[in-house]
Amino acid sequence: MNAIDRGGERKFDGGRLGPGVLVLVVGPSGAGKDTLIAYARERLAGRADICFARRRITRAVDATENHIAVDDDAFARAVAEGRYPLHWRANGLSYALGEEIVKEIAGGRIVVANGSRATIAEARLRFQNVKVVHVTAPPEVLAARIAARGRESGEEVLARLAREPMLAAPPELRILNVDAVDAAGERLAAFLRGL
């Protein structure tokens, strides 16, 4: 999928983006995906061949994730204009990877992104090389972590945990994130170093 500039709009011509690698870090809410991504970003700061995507989310910026807040109307316009190479809805919000990753992937870089299990198949259609890292934790750990964010009620936390889509194929790396951050984070960093 190659990007074409059409009067300031980015459209994709139907081919698959490459030759770089898109690493989707997926898993249930509360698994610690953002924490592990932040750990890997810090450890791999000197690697010019690895970059970390900032998602667009229809949620205000907070301390739990370094994302770009977009309102619903702007998000819908960007989707209609074909500006997001990958987008999805989950937990009542819209998420997307921004068009800047197109250049990184085209340049052969590794792009690491917090993704969604439900969008892996779509990612494989849009990108030549997709690697999946599945991060998870026991249900009681997930519930405690989600509740600690303070963004959802107890019922909303349970509803999040009930939406646990299965992976259609085994991931390239599975991380059970129950130990210290550096233990699980180093597994992710080591995986990225080896790509």
Side-chain angles (χ1 to χ4, degrees):
M1 180 178 302
N2 299 312
I4 301 172
D5 189 350
R6 293 186 180 147
E9 295 180 9
R10 303 282 289 184
K11 298 285 185 181
F12 300 100
D13 69 6
R16 292 167 70 208
L17 291 169
V21 180
L22 176 63
V23 178
L24 287 177
V25 180
V26 303
S29 295
K33 299 179 298 290
D34 288 315
T35 300
L36 299 186
I37 289 170
Y39 178 95
R41 181 187 301 115
E42 183 178 313
R43 295 307 179 277
L44 302 171
R47 292 280 303 261
D49 61 326
I50 301 175
C51 63
F52 293 82
R54 284 182 69 197
R55 297 189 298 178
R56 276 53 171 186
I57 307 177
T58 55
R59 178 182 72 218
V61 174
D62 61 26
T64 63
E65 180 181 357
N66 180 19
H67 70 277
I68 298 169
V70 181
D71 69 38
D72 289 321
D73 291 339
F75 192 98
R77 277 194 307 277
V79 168
E81 293 167 358
R83 292 176 42 214
Y84 295 148
L86 190 63
H87 60 89
W88 63 95
R89 284 201 49 86
N91 306 310
L93 299 170
S94 296
Y95 299 80
L97 301 184
E99 59 192 324
E100 68 279 357
I101 74 162
V102 173
K103 179 181 176 183
E104 305 297 348
I105 293 286
R109 295 182 78 196
I110 298 164
V111 176
V112 183
N114 183 337
S116 167
R117 291 160 292 178
T119 196
I120 292 171
E122 184 68 21
R124 292 193 190 283
L125 292 174
R126 294 178 180 225
F127 295 84
Q128 291 176 18
N129 197 350
V130 177
K131 304 291 183 192
V132 176
V133 175
H134 184 237
V135 180
T136 193
E140 62 276 9
V141 173
L142 298 173
R145 288 176 181 167
I146 296 169
R149 295 175 184 168
R151 290 196 307 243
E152 289 132 329
S153 69
E155 288 179 5
E156 290 169 325
V157 169
L158 293 175
R160 267 189 186 253
L161 292 175
R163 290 187 299 265
E164 175 81 18
M166 299 299 293
L167 294 176
E172 281 72 21
L173 175 65
R174 188 179 309 275
I175 298 174
L176 182 62
N177 187 17
V178 293
D179 298 320
V181 170
D182 57 347
E186 193 50 46
R187 288 196 65 208
L188 176 59
F191 174 77
L192 296 173
R193 285 185 194 103
L195 291 177

